[in-house]
Amino acid sequence: MNALRTTFLLAGLTVLLVLVGNALGGTGGMVIALGFAVAMNFGSYWFSDRLVLKMHGAREVGADEAPELHGIVRELSQRAGLPMPKVYLMESVTPNAFATGRNPTHAAVAATTGLMRLMNREELRGVLAHELAHVRHRDTLISAIAATFAGAIAMIANMAQWAMLFGGFRGNDNQGGGMLGGLAMMILAPIAATLIQLAVSRSREYAADAGGAEIAGSPRGLASALRKLEQANHAQPMQSAERNPASAHLFIVNPLSGTSVSKLFSTHPATEERVRRLESMAPGTRARM
């Protein structure tokens, strides 16, 4: 199912980029955009995980530098029947985490330094188990592709704005370019980025929560971690230099929480509902937010 979803997403993004090229530069722009889309399709499959990790300043760490993080990931990977993924740290006071990679053999798990400081061991196991569930469900490829293409669309929109400021888009509007094409690009590009993010179904978070509870052996740690993450990301969302709306859907909770744009770019179910579902798996507990 995820293979079909990835194929349709790539096809849709190719069409979108070609239409963008036509709007900005007519037939010539359309041909250039088609070539760019082909290159993006190839690059997204092979390199999107590296681009996303670099986008957030994640650096790979060994067992000697992050023994607790490495130890938990190794233990949970064995429980999940997965190869040991690469482990990355992001320097950020905001607690969060994500997984990426085109398949379980080429997977990576990244956590912020804020997450390591805030969570106790049971909660950290819950978060990392959730990310490994994404790896096991093969969600990570489509997530990284969506982030890469959304980032490219945002970049094109920025280029269009600068080109207009310096007198660009004065060509023939009948050929698809011109001022109207540039204005449409600036308006539609953020909407397109949002739609790409929403192409990654919210149901994948519920499935990863359930899978993470199974891998960790209990839903309690993840439920407790989600409460803390929700509060911390509202109180101290990622700084402008750390965050990128195109990759917001990768994280376990939306890193843009607390900002005015968060609702537009949210691809996560309500944390309260996620906690409720998790705690319903553990008799004798109640969801508290």
Side-chain angles (χ1 to χ4, degrees), residues 83-108:
M84 176 68 181
K86 293 182 179 180
V87 179
Y88 287 78
L89 267 180
M90 297 173 284
E91 292 292 335
S92 175
V93 296
T94 305
N96 225 316
F98 68 86
T100 187
R102 63 182 181 270
N103 56 44
T105 307
H106 299 88

Side-chain angles (χ1 to χ4, degrees), residues 222-242:
L222 179 55
S224 177
L226 286 173
R227 290 194 204 96
K228 286 187 177 181
L229 287 166
E230 178 74 5
Q231 294 170 0
N233 278 265
H234 269 287
Q236 195 168 33
M238 283 189 171
Q239 300 300 309
S240 57
E242 303 168 332

Side-chain angles (χ1 to χ4, degrees), residues 57-61 66 69 87-91 110-113 116:
R59 60 185 180 85
E60 188 175 358
V61 292
L69 182 59
V87 179
Y88 287 78
L89 267 180
M90 297 173 284
E91 292 292 335
T112 66
T113 50
M116 301 300 297

